[in-house]
Amino acid sequence: MKLSEILFNSVEHIWNSYLTHPFITKMADGTLEIEKFKYYMLQDYVYLKDYIKVFAVGSTKSNEFDEIKFFCDNMYAVLDETYKVHIPYMKRLGITEKDIINVTPHIDNTSYTKYMLYEGQNGDMLSCLIAILSCSWSYAFISKKIVEKNKSCLENETYGEWFNGYYCKEYQETNEKLIQKVDNLSNNLSQKTIDKLTEIFVNCSIYEAKFWDLAYDSKNHQN
């Protein structure tokens, strides 16, 4: 069994819970309160700063140019998406420069990203990729499953852009390349290593669940 299959099997029940989370379902039917989404976008912006750094850490784990290039290409792709898509999206929602500058990371957000960086810094290339993959793959999973069930979500004036961004062919293909890289690097792993990588993947998936919770909890809508 491929490592990616082992990883997916370990979190399928967690990822399925995302599909019924009120933040996701209300985005899909267009009824999510806009302030909740604004808060999510700001927290996601903060998250991306450390998410990008995990790719940078991964680039230090190899002396091979092709491996270094893989991490750097992905790092710059996330940076490019942040400036070309994420920030303009926030501005269209009415999020100001002051809001962006003054946003306070939620404690669960900080815990998540620092955990990713810790596992990446104390592990190898594969550890970095596993920490990254939970977010990337689960977003591809969510968008695909929701769109299959309700294609009209792609047309929503406010949230359609979010679903389109992760459902589109380009994003799905980029995510598949991450999965393939994980499988390519996972030959001849010991059971102990597989268990550790699975633990990282499960923990990151639990953090993803907490991210949806913090985004939906109106008590947290403070910058």
Side-chain angles (χ1 to χ4, degrees):
M1 185 181 292
K2 293 180 179 179
L3 178 58
S4 61
E5 295 173 331
I6 295 172
L7 296 174
F8 180 79
N9 289 340
S10 71
V11 299
E12 186 175 11
H13 65 293
I14 301 174
W15 288 11
N16 281 332
S17 74
Y18 304 158
L19 303 177
T20 59
H21 194 287
F23 190 92
I24 301 297
T25 59
K26 288 179 180 291
M27 264 206 304
D29 64 21
T31 62
L32 181 69
E33 295 173 44
I34 189 66
E35 292 304 315
K36 294 183 186 294
F37 190 64
K38 288 181 180 180
Y39 183 75
Y40 160 80
M41 289 293 286
L42 284 166
Q43 290 297 317
D44 197 38
Y45 173 79
V46 173
Y47 170 88
L48 286 171
K49 292 180 182 179
D50 279 343
Y51 182 75
I52 290 167
K53 292 176 186 177
V54 184
F55 283 107
V57 171
S59 71
T60 70
K61 300 293 181 174
S62 176
N63 290 321
E64 300 297 328
F65 272 116
D66 61 337
E67 304 291 2
I68 296 170
K69 184 177 185 299
F70 178 84
F71 280 99
C72 288
D73 285 348
N74 278 277
M75 179 174 66
Y76 286 120
V78 177
L79 280 168
D80 191 55
E81 188 276 339
T82 301
Y83 280 97
K84 290 183 178 179
V85 179
H86 197 98
I87 292 176
Y89 196 176
M90 288 195 294
K91 290 181 177 179
R92 285 195 294 277
L93 292 168
I95 296 172
T96 67
E97 192 72 29
K98 183 178 179 181
D99 294 331
I100 295 172
I101 292 171
N102 293 330
V103 61
T104 300
H106 188 283
I107 189 171
D108 288 341
N109 192 355
T110 301
S111 178
Y112 182 9
T113 61
K114 300 315 177 189
Y115 173 76
M116 294 170 68
L117 284 166
Y118 172 83
E119 292 295 352
Q121 289 163 348
N122 286 277
D124 54 15
M125 285 190 300
L126 202 46
S127 301
C128 291
L129 284 171
I130 297 301
I132 289 164
L133 186 59
S134 178
C135 177
S136 174
W137 193 356
S138 67
Y139 272 48
F141 174 86
I142 290 168
S143 60
K144 188 173 182 179
K145 291 294 185 180
I146 294 295
V147 171
E148 286 175 353
K149 185 177 179 181
N150 177 20
K151 287 188 177 180
S152 65
C153 69
L154 297 172
E155 306 301 325
N156 184 272
E157 183 177 355
T158 303
Y159 307 119
E161 184 173 347
W162 189 93
F163 286 105
N164 274 294
Y166 299 108
Y167 180 71
C168 70
K169 181 180 178 182
E170 182 179 14
Y171 182 85
Q172 295 285 333
E173 288 180 347
T174 297
N175 180 68
E176 283 298 322
K177 289 178 182 178
L178 286 175
I179 295 172
Q180 290 170 13
K181 177 61 78 172
V182 164
D183 286 334
N184 289 342
L185 291 174
S186 62
N187 293 325
N188 302 316
L189 296 179
S190 68
Q191 188 59 50
K192 182 178 180 180
T193 299
I194 292 172
D195 290 345
K196 175 59 180 177
L197 295 172
T198 302
E199 175 187 300
I200 294 171
F201 199 66
V202 170
N203 286 341
C204 286
S205 294
I206 292 171
Y207 273 121
E208 284 293 322
K210 290 180 178 293
F211 206 104
W212 297 122
D213 288 342
L214 72 86
Y216 192 71
D217 187 349
S218 60
K219 291 184 296 184
N220 298 322
H221 296 169
Q222 299 176 9
N223 295 333

